[in-house]
Amino acid sequence: MTNLIIAGIGGQGINSLTKVLAETLIASNYECQFTIHKGGAQSLGSVYAEFRISTEALPTLGQGIPRGQLDFLIALDPWEAVRHATLSHQQTQLWVETETMPFFMQRGNTPAQTISAKKQLDNSGLSVQWRDYKEQAQQQADTVKMANYFAGLDCLEALTISDKSIFDALFFQLIKKAKRF
């Protein structure tokens, strides 16, 4: 069984990405259970999804990935990666957006705060792959609103799903605001 968390801030498309990824996994003959948590229940609040994924039937699992059992973390905000890193083990792999999103006054989008989050993750001993999803989306899709698409591709890479055609078809079908490029 593989445990995955996709984390971000309200408005980044975590909810939509989660639904597309779940349907992609099922269409790719995986079993998956997932739950979406909306911390702030508002724009700019903390949002994350937890996945349990397997090639075999999954037992009914309780909510929440236990500490030390997170295998992959895809975060569209460095502070959200810091929040969930406590669930990691030594082999956990992280894909993390390089820029922070505005949140509360004490955790804004200042260079010093971004550096602080990065230092915490870099000093954690975990395998962190820094991504500039927003820049990648801007360059390839001409809008930063497609950053969740590129995070989704990293989810597929983490799960070693090489055929992204199902994901692409579902993403552009289910997310009406998505812009084909």
Side-chain angles (χ1 to χ4, degrees):
M1 178 172 56
T2 300
N3 294 313
L4 163 74
I5 290 180
I6 302 171
I9 304 297
Q12 289 184 311
I14 301 300
N15 193 15
S16 300
L17 175 58
T18 297
K19 292 174 184 175
V20 170
L21 186 60
E23 288 196 35
T24 301
L25 289 167
I26 292 166
S28 300
N29 297 317
Y30 285 89
E31 297 287 325
C32 83
Q33 296 176 11
F34 71 94
T35 184
I36 299 170
H37 303 271
K38 296 180 182 180
Q42 63 187 13
S43 183
L44 299 181
S46 177
V47 178
Y48 67 98
E50 296 180 345
F51 281 85
R52 306 281 181 86
I53 305 161
S54 179
T55 55
E56 301 173 5
L58 287 167
T60 302
L61 299 167
Q63 187 174 338
I65 295 172
R67 187 177 298 271
Q69 293 188 23
L70 177 63
D71 299 304
F72 302 107
L73 172 60
I74 310 289
L76 290 169
D77 181 89
W79 283 111
E80 293 305 308
V82 169
R83 177 190 312 272
H84 298 288
T86 60
L87 302 175
S88 302
H89 53 75
Q90 290 293 358
Q91 283 75 43
T92 300
Q93 296 178 36
L94 288 75
W95 285 262
V96 183
E97 167 65 47
T98 57
E99 290 184 46
T100 59
M101 287 287 292
F103 194 62
F104 295 115
M105 286 180 59
Q106 63 268 46
R107 192 186 101 181
N109 193 16
T110 67
Q113 290 164 327
T114 300
I115 290 168
S116 174
K118 287 180 181 179
K119 276 186 180 178
Q120 286 184 47
L121 289 169
D122 286 337
N123 293 333
S124 69
L126 299 171
S127 172
V128 180
Q129 298 179 49
W130 293 101
R131 297 286 200 256
D132 195 339
Y133 292 122
K134 290 188 277 186
E135 180 63 26
Q136 188 177 5
Q138 184 65 48
Q139 286 182 356
Q140 294 185 31
D142 200 30
T143 176
V144 296
K145 293 183 179 184
M146 291 287 291
N148 64 342
Y149 171 80
F150 295 101
L153 294 180
D154 278 344
C155 288
L156 297 179
E157 178 185 322
L159 299 169
T160 63
I161 298 174
S162 58
D163 181 5
K164 68 174 190 149
S165 62
I166 296 170
F167 176 78
D168 273 358
L170 289 169
F171 190 91
F172 291 106
Q173 174 189 355
L174 296 175
I175 302 177
K176 302 299 181 200
K177 295 178 183 177
K179 179 182 175 183
R180 282 213 182 263
F181 50 95

